[in-house]
Every structure is written in structure tokens, then in C-alpha cells.
């Protein structure tokens, strides 16, 4: 069912079904739970062997049984050293997420206001879903063109008026 690999550096489970049946007699939990525990103790899965699987650990050697006492369950400190986030980092990320959610909500509110103004001006047709999100936005090109021309014209008039005031003051 299971045996050492030829090099003695890993163990190989040749028949997963039989191994799972035997495991039930000696281990509380499923095969997946057993594999999870192997990972907690630092075992790493190797390539599959003819339909089976194998795990290795630097202190689990066929010819060095005295090393087995060196196998320890990983701790949170071990996880932090291996790239997992610390509690302070997690809190900082939560804070950033909260700030980003606030920014997104503000942007949604601003977009909603702009769409309402454009809809009122007849420039766009907005169709919203029941949750308030925009489903379809149809821009009326002619109305948008008129709005741009009016804004352009108003800007030109304001510029000319400013020039006239400036010339009259001089």
C-alpha cells in the first residue's frame, strides 16, 4: 500500500483507496485531512508515482530514524517568516480596503449625479437594474453635440467679454 521510495528520501503511497481505508483505523479524519497535516509538519508533495503519490521531508529518511524527532508542526511565526502576512500587515490591508471602498462609493455617487444631469439634459438614456447599477447607457449624439457647441459658444462669449472689459479698462 505504501513504502519508501527507492532513494529512501520520501514515502510513496501506491494505492490511495487502500491507504485511505487503513488510515481510517489509525487517524481521525479523511485522507485530505491527513495530507493537510503532512503540510503542517513541513512535508512536501512530490510527483505522482504510477497512480500513487509521495511526500518528502528533510528529517524523514529511511536510513536516519533519529531525525524524526526534528519534525515539528509549523507555527504562526514560521508562516510569517515564509511570506504570510503579519497581523499588522493584515490590519493595514483592511484599512486600505476600507478607504478604497469609500472612494468607490464616492465615485459611484458622483457618476450617478453626472448621469442624472445628462439624462435630464436629454443627452443620455440611462437604464438601471433593480440594484441601481447601470445596465445600459445610450448616448444621444445629436444632443451631446448641441451641448458641446453651446458650452463652446458660452466659453467664447465669456472670453470676448473679458477681452472687452480688459480693453475698456486700459
Amino acid at each position: 500500500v505504501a513504502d519508501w521510495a527507492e532513494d529512501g528520501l520520501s514515502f510513496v503511497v501506491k494505492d490511495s483507496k487502500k491507504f485511505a481505508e487503513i488510515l481510517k483505523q489509525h487517524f481521525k479524519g479523511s485522507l485530505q485531512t491527513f495530507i493537510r497535516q503532512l503540510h503542517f509538519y513541513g512535508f512536501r508533495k512530490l510527483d505522482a508515482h504510477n497512480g500513487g503519490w509521495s511526500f518528502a521531508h528533510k528529517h524523514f529518511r529511511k536510513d536516519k530514524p533519529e531525525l524524526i524527532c526534528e519534525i515539528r508542526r509549523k507555527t504562526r511565526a514560521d508562516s510569517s517568516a515564509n511570506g504570510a502576512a503579519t497581523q499588522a500587515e493584515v490590519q493595514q490591508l483592511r484599512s486600505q480596503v476600507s478607504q478604497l471602498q469609500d472612494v468607490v462609493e464616492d465615485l459611484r455617487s458622483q457618476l450617478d449625479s453626472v448621469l442624472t444631469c445628462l439624462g435630464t439634459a436629454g443627452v443620455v438614456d440611462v437604464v438601471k437594474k433593480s440594484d441601481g447599477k447601470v445596465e445600459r447607457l445610450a448616448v444621444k449624439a445629436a444632443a451631446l453635440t448641441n451641448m458641446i457647441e453651446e458650452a463652446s459658444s458660452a466659453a467664447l462669449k465669456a472670453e470676448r467679454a473679458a477681452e472687452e472689459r480688459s480693453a475698456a479698462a486700459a
Side-chain angles (χ1 to χ4, degrees), residues 39-53:
H39 288 291
F40 281 135
Y41 281 89
F43 284 79
R44 64 186 199 293
K45 189 172 184 178
L46 303 177
D47 294 333
H49 290 276
N50 298 330
W53 40 268

Side-chain angles (χ1 to χ4, degrees), residues 73-132:
R73 185 180 170 119
K74 291 180 185 178
T75 64
R76 290 180 191 248
D78 294 336
S79 296
S80 295
N82 293 330
T86 64
Q87 197 168 9
E89 291 169 325
V90 169
Q91 187 57 40
Q92 182 181 12
L93 289 171
R94 285 183 177 149
S95 175
Q96 289 174 346
V97 166
S98 178
Q99 290 171 353
L100 289 172
Q101 287 172 330
D102 291 343
V103 168
V104 167
E105 187 57 39
D106 288 345
L107 290 172
R108 280 189 179 141
S109 178
Q110 291 175 18
L111 178 60
D112 196 41
S113 295
V114 167
L115 289 175
T116 300
C117 289
L118 290 174
T120 303
V123 176
V124 295
D125 282 333
V126 180
V127 177
K128 293 186 178 183
K129 297 179 183 178
S130 60
D131 62 1

Side-chain angles (χ1 to χ4, degrees), residues 4 8-11 37-46 54-62 67-74:
W4 287 100
L9 301 177
S10 63
F11 71 93
Q37 288 298 313
L38 287 174
H39 288 291
F40 281 135
Y41 281 89
F43 284 79
R44 64 186 199 293
K45 189 172 184 178
L46 303 177
S54 64
F55 278 88
H57 188 287
K58 65 182 179 181
H59 297 302
F60 193 67
R61 301 284 187 248
K62 181 178 181 180
L67 291 178
I68 203 164
C69 63
E70 298 294 322
I71 298 174
R72 303 262 190 269
R73 185 180 170 119
K74 291 180 185 178

